[in-house]
Amino acid sequence: MNEPVISVKNLVKRFGNFTANDHLNFHVDKGEIFGFLGANGAGKTTAMRILSGLSKSTEGEVVVAGYNVNTHPEKVKQNIGYMSQKFSLFEDLTIWENMRFFAAIYGLSTAVFKERAQMLLNKLGIFHEKDRLVGELSLGWKQKLAFSVAILHRPSIVFLDEPTSGVDPITRRQFWEMIYQASAEGITVFVTTHYMDEAEYCNRVTIMVDGRIEALDTPAALKKQFAARNMNEVFLTLARPNNQ
Amino acid sequence: MKRFTAFVRKEFLHIFRDSRTMLILFAMPVVQILIFGFVITTEISDASIAILDKSKNEMTREITAKLASSGYYNIKHLLHSENEIEAAFKRDRVKMVVVFEPQFSKRFYADKQASVQLIADASDANSARILTNYAEGIITSYQNSKNSDVGAVAKPIETQVRMFYNENLDGVFMSVPGIMAMILMLVSAMMTSISITKEKEFGSMEVLLISPLKPFQIILGKVTPYILLAFVNVLTILAMGYWVFHVPIRGSLFLLLGESMLFTLLALSLGIFISTVAQNQMVAMFMSMFALMLPTILLSGFIYPVENMPYVLQLISHLMPPKWFIIIVKSVMLKGNGIMYVWKETLILMSFTLLFVGLSIKKFQVRLK
């Protein structure tokens, strides 16, 4: 139905003797919300770093937004957005200055930046706060703003690395509403998370265990396949088979 | 280009919003040069001394008067016996005691051999040496004048000393080149290494690397503000040296500024290298402190002359970039030399810069893999 915006074939990443990604195969469709799950150390971050051009694969072919990440990393970078769990925005700059900075490094013109930033802040209802330092904001606001900034240049894909960790349930809900909105506008969302209720919100979910993809399907299909009541049970069955 | 200016603008905002950074960048150079210029001075004036005059004749009184009027000494006590010398040092804290032997002038004229003893408090070795040297000089010149009075030809060799390039032996002449080296190291190497590792520590470096910015653009963007600020510092130090302390700039100002820029680039490349090695700001700061500041102060010839160091330390001092910069600055500023006299040192600075840039690039590529 849709052309894939991410296609991964036989992706292998080794660090010495350790295989972090063991022959990964998957594709992500346009506008899809693709959940990337796995215990700590399962290889999620490594895979995401390769997809975003931050690190090179040992073997395999990765095409993101129509470009091979190994041969055209610059083209890929221009077409993706990224939000990390560790860093959201520069705390000693104001909201407006942060937005202006990221708009400029993604090559937006001043006029386009002003129009989009104004629209975005109005939508969030904080336009009057645009000159406040980001450091004064709550974590929830920072994450919502960081997400807005990550899609300010209208990328075809946005990578979210545990975007809601440490955020309260209400803000998480608002955050996912923003994700749905971006998806409805045609932006593909690639998200890693530790919250299994969030996994339910995804169109399709991948579960990684020890560098391999152990399951990949819609949440409904996965629950059926593993005879589980919710995604939490699916995850526990796969991630800790010995404990069952 | 627009990306680059946006980046530099962001860096300036980081700098101007952090009061501690601002303090280091702008207050420190001024404070340093004032401290080194006014407080740490090797000149001596009004040192307390005591006199033990066992002959008390016209000649010893004349010498005492000459010492008193030289400006170097302040005669605090007149002692009466040897027993009081120790007490003068300990209780009255005099720096030097001058002892004239009994029958001084008689021995001078009759035996052609009169002796005066200079006892100095050498718990402060430097001042002790300077005080005794000055006193010797004063006594020698007095002796010469007396000899010519009596027509004796006891003046076979007359030494005449002139101090080239620093007639008054002003300590601040030494300090200005050293402070320039130190401040440039601090601003360029330490501040950049801290600001780059900060991005690594906070995770923003990852976000920047995923953006369309190329790694060299990121590094260049981080470094540019510090090049400008370092240049401002060079101008501040030179201006204060020139107008406050009257340190001359005898050579070409253009050459001096050029060499300072070269040294700034060197320090920046060193700072970038440190940031590729250090994982967080603390480590970067300690590496800069121990790897850069201490050697700059101790091994560069800034305070302690390299020639007097043990051979091994002299060899190590060759590896200290500030040493070569200080040589260049002294040569251009004080001796008025042109590039023909400092091209070797200039080449050494350039080689150091290339070395650190090369190492940083190599290190950076290894990390990306």
Side-chain angles (χ1 to χ4, degrees), chain B residues 76-224:
Chain B
K76 272 276 169 68
H77 296 281
L78 294 172
L79 308 180
H80 305 289
S81 82
E82 247 116 20
N83 301 334
E84 295 174 9
I85 292 178
E86 192 78 42
F89 281 122
K90 283 185 176 162
R91 196 189 56 222
D92 304 323
R93 307 221 169 134
V94 301
K95 297 289 172 201
M96 185 174 76
V97 176
V98 183
V99 185
F100 296 101
E101 65 174 341
Q103 320 236 305
F104 189 85
S105 51
K106 181 178 163 250
R107 294 206 50 171
F108 181 80
Y109 290 114
D111 308 346
K112 302 272 179 233
Q113 174 91 57
S115 73
V116 52
Q117 190 180 20
L118 301 173
I119 308 170
D121 171 7
S123 59
D124 180 355
N126 267 334
S127 342
R129 191 175 306 124
I130 295 168
L131 284 173
T132 51
N133 280 348
Y134 286 169
E136 268 186 300
I138 291 167
I139 294 167
T140 310
S141 81
Y142 175 78
Q143 162 191 292
N144 290 342
S145 69
K146 277 291 164 213
N147 279 339
S148 51
D149 282 356
V150 285
V153 207
K155 206 170 63 171
I157 298 176
E158 190 191 90
T159 46
Q160 279 191 351
V161 180
R162 257 199 76 193
M163 297 296 175
F164 257 38
Y165 312 123
N166 185 357
E167 294 276 352
N168 301 321
L169 291 179
D170 282 333
V172 74
F173 281 34
M174 298 277 293
S175 308
V176 167
I179 292 170
M180 269 171 70
M182 202 162 85
I183 296 293
L184 289 182
M185 268 291 175
L186 197 78
V187 170
S188 313
M190 188 162 114
M191 299 306 274
T192 43
S193 67
I194 289 177
S195 103
I196 294 174
T197 39
K198 189 173 173 185
E199 301 259 14
K200 275 194 342 194
E201 202 177 334
F202 287 2
S204 45
M205 191 52 106
E206 211 170 69
V207 175
L208 296 175
L209 283 171
I210 285 177
S211 82
L213 287 172
K214 294 184 178 61
F216 82 88
Q217 288 176 314
I218 298 175
I219 298 298
L220 219 60
K222 293 228 63 114
V223 154
T224 307

Side-chain angles (χ1 to χ4, degrees), chain A residues 104-223:
Chain A
I105 65 173
Y106 279 94
L108 295 193
S109 73
T110 312
V112 172
F113 150 68
K114 275 193 181 151
E115 185 205 316
R116 285 191 197 168
Q118 211 159 359
M119 200 179 73
L120 244 159
L121 291 177
N122 277 327
K123 210 158 65 182
L124 289 170
I126 51 167
F127 184 73
H128 59 287
E129 307 239 44
K130 71 183 174 64
D131 294 324
R132 264 181 76 178
L133 293 181
V134 167
E136 297 170 357
L137 304 175
S138 71
L139 180 65
W141 271 114
K142 278 186 216 164
Q143 298 299 79
K144 279 192 271 185
L145 268 171
F147 179 71
S148 308
V149 169
I151 58 171
L152 200 61
H153 60 290
R154 305 267 157 90
S156 50
I157 305 149
V158 62
F159 291 93
L160 309 175
D161 186 7
E162 295 180 23
T164 54
S165 60
V167 172
D168 69 76
I170 299 167
T171 312
R172 266 170 60 197
R173 207 186 175 84
Q174 292 168 339
F175 195 89
W176 274 87
E177 276 165 19
M178 291 174 75
I179 290 180
Y180 272 106
Q181 202 165 11
S183 157
E185 286 165 18
I187 296 177
T188 306
V189 180
F190 188 102
V191 55
T192 70
T193 180
H194 278 306
Y195 297 105
M196 288 306 135
D197 58 325
E198 290 188 349
E200 310 260 5
Y201 302 152
C202 297
N203 297 130
R204 280 193 305 154
V205 170
T206 296
I207 298 178
M208 277 192 78
V209 179
D210 294 336
R212 290 182 310 279
I213 293 182
E214 288 292 327
L216 199 179
D217 215 325
T218 61
L222 285 176
K223 281 185 277 190

Side-chain angles (χ1 to χ4, degrees), chain A residues 88-112:
Chain A
S88 32
L89 297 166
F90 295 103
E91 307 224 321
D92 54 346
L93 302 190
T94 65
I95 295 173
W96 193 255
E97 285 161 350
N98 265 292
M99 295 180 106
R100 191 177 55 198
F101 171 69
F102 284 103
I105 65 173
Y106 279 94
L108 295 193
S109 73
T110 312
V112 172

Side-chain angles (χ1 to χ4, degrees), chain A residues 72-84:
Chain A
H72 295 92
E74 302 312 317
K75 295 275 187 195
V76 171
K77 285 178 176 179
Q78 187 64 51
N79 285 294
I80 62 173
Y82 173 74
M83 178 185 160
S84 96

Side-chain angles (χ1 to χ4, degrees), chain B residues 1-69:
Chain B
M1 195 58 207
K2 196 172 158 252
R3 287 176 178 161
F4 181 70
T5 44
F7 203 107
V8 174
R9 187 169 172 179
K10 155 191 167 284
E11 282 313 309
F12 270 117
L13 286 175
H14 285 321
I15 293 169
F16 289 143
R17 291 218 174 124
D18 184 19
S19 51
R20 276 172 303 175
T21 307
M22 289 296 280
L23 215 60
I24 292 180
L25 285 178
F26 295 106
M28 202 145 96
V30 175
V31 172
Q32 295 267 13
I33 192 162
L34 289 177
I35 290 175
F36 279 98
F38 281 124
V39 183
I40 304 180
T41 165
T42 48
E43 292 109 79
I44 300 237
S45 60
D46 282 335
S48 318
I49 62 167
I51 307 277
L52 172 55
D53 190 348
K54 293 182 188 162
S55 60
K56 291 214 173 78
N57 57 33
E58 192 191 341
M59 216 167 175
T60 59
R61 269 193 293 270
E62 270 175 21
I63 294 176
T64 307
K66 281 217 185 283
L67 290 175
S69 61

